[in-house]
Amino acid sequence: QSALTQPASVSGSPGQSITISCTGSSGNIGSYNVVSWYQNHPGKAPKLIIYEATERPSGVSDRFSGSRSGSTASLTITGLQDEDEGDYYCCAYGGSDVNWVFGGGTKVTVL
Amino acid sequence: QLQLVQSGAEVKRPGASVRVSCEAFTYTFTGYYLHWVRQAPGQGLEWMGWINPKNGDTKYAQKFRGRLTVTRDTSLNKAYMDLRSLSFDDTAVYFCVRDSRWQQLVGLWEFWGQGTRVTVSS
């Protein structure tokens, strides 16, 4: 049981927008803006796409955006493309004892 | 080009220990925290722990305390992840990953090693 809850799957047609939620608690997302999102393809290292809840690393498409409200963070992908298929994980800081926790992951399918 | 290069795949018996190394290239090794993250087959990502290569300070996830040790050798620009008392559940790909801000623990993980597959099998 992950400390962060994500939907198991989200799908959309090319060009559509989808949003993936990541629900935590007052012990992690609710207290710290240290929330990141990773795109993961089988057999490959994860790729950072959002950090500090809303920031995008250089080189990451502006079709990816992040937000945070209360104990929930969200990742939105606009203009969905075939290459966006994969697994997406949120990750949050949970304080000095817990440190970092991941969500269970969300499989994104482009229909 | 910044790189983290990990050691090769391992096959271990239950109860054994495994060491995975992570060698840093083209940056100041002691300037950035290193974390270890694993992914079991068909499962999600799991944070294991971090080390501050500057002074050797470490922090481990509760789940791994007592069984996990992360060390570093600054003369070799290498970090090591030692996991003991292996069980079948430890079969996973293990990644080292560098934090992205100078001497800050921020969980900003842009640079990953290629991963090391550890298989626990009898």
Side-chain angles (χ1 to χ4, degrees):
Chain A
Q1 191 82 12
S2 302
L4 306 178
T5 300
Q6 298 180 233
S9 63
V10 173
S11 61
S13 299
Q16 285 188 330
S17 296
I18 61 170
T19 296
I20 303 168
S21 60
C22 173
T23 303
S25 69
S26 59
N28 41 63
I29 296 175
S31 293
Y32 307 98
N33 199 43
V34 184
V35 181
S36 50
W37 289 89
Y38 296 86
Q39 181 188 60
N40 186 217
H41 293 116
K44 291 192 172 184
K47 177 185 177 182
L48 178 69
I49 52 174
I50 294 290
Y51 67 96
E52 292 174 352
T54 61
E55 302 301 309
R56 207 170 37 245
S58 61
V60 172
S61 171
D62 60 5
R63 296 186 299 103
F64 293 91
S65 63
S67 64
R68 168 179 166 254
S69 177
S71 298
T72 298
S74 298
L75 172 71
T76 297
I77 309 174
T78 58
L80 202 59
Q81 298 180 3
D82 290 346
E83 67 202 48
D84 299 330
E85 276 203 344
D87 298 319
Y88 291 79
Y89 293 88
C90 61
C91 181
Y93 180 68
S96 60
D97 189 55
V98 171
N99 267 235
W100 274 270
V101 289
F102 280 99
T106 298
K107 184 174 186 61
V108 168
T109 302
V110 181
L111 302 172
Chain B
Q1 181 179 346
L2 192 158
Q3 266 192 303
L4 294 170
V5 179
Q6 298 182 221
S7 49
E10 301 268 9
V11 179
K12 296 293 182 181
R13 301 289 192 203
S17 299
V18 69
R19 164 170 278 201
V20 178
S21 68
C22 172
E23 186 173 4
F25 292 89
T26 328
Y27 76 90
T28 304
F29 178 66
T30 53
Y32 300 86
Y33 285 77
L34 273 175
H35 300 253
W36 289 89
V37 173
R38 75 177 187 179
Q39 186 169 33
Q43 302 299 309
L45 300 170
E46 183 173 32
W47 177 79
M48 300 178 70
W50 57 253
I51 185 167
N52 181 350
K54 181 179 180 181
N55 58 18
D57 284 352
T58 55
K59 182 78 174 185
Y60 306 130
Q62 177 71 41
K63 174 178 179 178
F64 299 104
R65 288 174 197 170
R67 203 162 70 89
L68 171 65
T69 302
V70 177
T71 56
R72 93 290 189 219
D73 185 330
T74 56
S75 68
L76 297 177
N77 288 347
K78 276 187 172 181
Y80 303 93
M81 189 278 301
D82 292 293
L83 191 61
R84 299 175 291 282
S85 303
L86 293 170
S87 71
F88 297 121
D89 290 345
D90 293 314
T91 294
V93 177
Y94 290 76
F95 296 97
C96 61
V97 53
R98 199 201 80 168
D99 228 319
S100 290
R101 292 203 178 130
W102 179 259
Q103 292 179 359
Q104 292 182 54
L105 199 58
V106 291
L108 207 169
W109 302 331
E110 284 184 277
F111 304 106
W112 294 70
Q114 83 275 21
T116 297
R117 185 172 302 276
V118 175
T119 302
V120 182
S121 172
S122 55

